[in-house]
Amino acid sequence: MEKLQNYYRSFEKEMGYNRFDENSFQANQNFLLFIHMLLTTEVAEVAEEFRSMFDLSENYLSEGYNDVEAMEMAKESIRENLGKELADCLAYILKLANYFEFDLETELYSKLEEIKRTRKRY
């Protein structure tokens, strides 16, 4: 994950992203609101892909495919677009993690350990 976060930092520099006054409260606030808005938009696009998958599954069921076949065919039909939308989400998460100087790998492992300690296994 560190390699990915570093790659994203380099990508931002190369593309000229994050050009704002880091010492300005207003600029930081605008940046965070903008990234939040972009991330939530991308998450909504992931949801749209799921909706498409469910609609396609229903169509395949009506054509006589069983439920497993219908779902697999629908999954395959959205696979490419879903991958792009998930990548968009990850990019904005990386952007936020870098902004706050989080090591996402450490944060994720820590969260998973917390879940193991606090949640009942089924």
Side-chain angles (χ1 to χ4, degrees):
M1 190 67 74
E2 179 182 357
K3 183 177 176 183
L4 190 57
Q5 283 186 252
N6 287 333
Y7 179 84
Y8 195 79
R9 277 187 201 97
S10 296
F11 170 80
E12 286 184 313
K13 283 182 185 174
E14 179 183 331
M15 299 301 292
Y17 294 166
N18 283 353
R19 291 186 182 174
F20 68 95
D21 182 358
E22 294 177 1
N23 297 314
S24 164
F25 171 79
Q26 188 65 48
N28 278 272
Q29 184 180 40
N30 289 342
F31 167 80
L32 290 171
L33 289 171
F34 183 64
I35 299 307
H36 175 265
M37 195 170 47
L38 291 171
L39 176 58
T40 56
T41 299
E42 295 303 333
V43 170
E45 290 178 7
V46 168
E48 278 297 308
E49 291 301 323
F50 290 162
R51 186 189 56 75
S52 294
M53 183 180 71
F54 298 143
D55 289 347
L56 284 168
S57 294
E58 290 297 322
N59 290 342
Y60 292 136
L61 285 169
S62 70
E63 292 174 9
Y65 293 97
N66 71 41
D67 56 349
V68 173
E69 292 170 326
M71 182 60 83
E72 286 302 316
M73 290 168 52
K75 278 174 47 180
E76 188 57 36
S77 70
I78 68 154
R79 183 175 173 74
E80 183 178 342
N81 287 340
L82 180 60
K84 290 176 183 179
E85 300 305 342
L86 291 172
D88 287 341
C89 291
L90 180 57
Y92 292 121
I93 289 169
L94 290 169
K95 187 179 214 54
L96 289 171
N98 288 345
Y99 175 85
F100 286 101
E101 299 178 0
F102 283 119
D103 173 344
L104 268 183
E105 185 171 359
T106 300
E107 294 296 325
L108 180 59
Y109 285 134
S110 176
K111 183 63 182 180
L112 295 177
E113 288 303 314
E114 176 187 326
I115 291 169
K116 283 182 185 179
R117 286 190 315 272
T118 61
R119 305 254 166 84
K120 189 177 184 179
R121 294 185 191 188
Y122 299 97

